[in-house]
Amino acid sequence: MNTTDNSPMEDKSSVDLGTVTELQRHLNELLKQLSPERLQVLADFAAYLANAESEAATQELLAIPGLLEQIKRSSATPKTLYTPWRTLRSDV
């Protein structure tokens, strides 16, 4: 990954769950060694990364043709016109 790239990490599905758990454990160990000032810097950076990931997901959804218009139409539909899902699929 390019260190100057502001995009979130590449495909997360390629990361093994055991690896994630190990990374979290290691990070927790390192957190215990940080001063309050460094913890604040880390918290700010983590918030930045979470925001970047959220923004990337938003952009991915906005790239779907017609999605925003469909959501607006659905939001404008009165709830009284909705059909209960149980009447649509009895086998669910």
Side-chain angles (χ1 to χ4, degrees):
M1 183 168 95
N2 183 348
T3 56
T4 60
D5 185 7
N6 288 336
S7 63
M9 287 179 55
E10 293 164 12
D11 184 14
K12 285 182 261 177
S13 63
S14 64
V15 176
D16 180 17
L17 185 59
T19 304
V20 170
T21 302
E22 180 62 24
L23 285 171
Q24 290 172 336
R25 185 193 62 72
H26 184 65
L27 183 57
N28 282 328
E29 288 175 9
L30 293 172
L31 286 174
K32 295 174 186 174
Q33 300 174 26
L34 295 178
S35 68
E37 295 80 14
R38 296 290 183 172
L39 279 172
Q40 184 61 55
V41 171
L42 183 59
D44 292 343
F45 184 64
Y48 164 79
L49 290 177
N51 185 49
E53 192 162 316
S54 176
E55 180 62 26
T58 299
Q59 292 306 317
E60 184 177 335
L61 289 173
L62 290 175
I64 299 172
L67 179 64
L68 192 54
E69 291 77 19
Q70 185 176 355
I71 291 171
K72 287 178 183 178
R73 279 195 311 271
S74 296
S75 296
T77 303
K79 293 193 190 291
T80 56
L81 298 180
Y82 288 176
T83 303
W85 66 269
R86 290 191 184 272
T87 61
L88 297 174
R89 296 280 309 267
S90 61
D91 63 330
V92 177

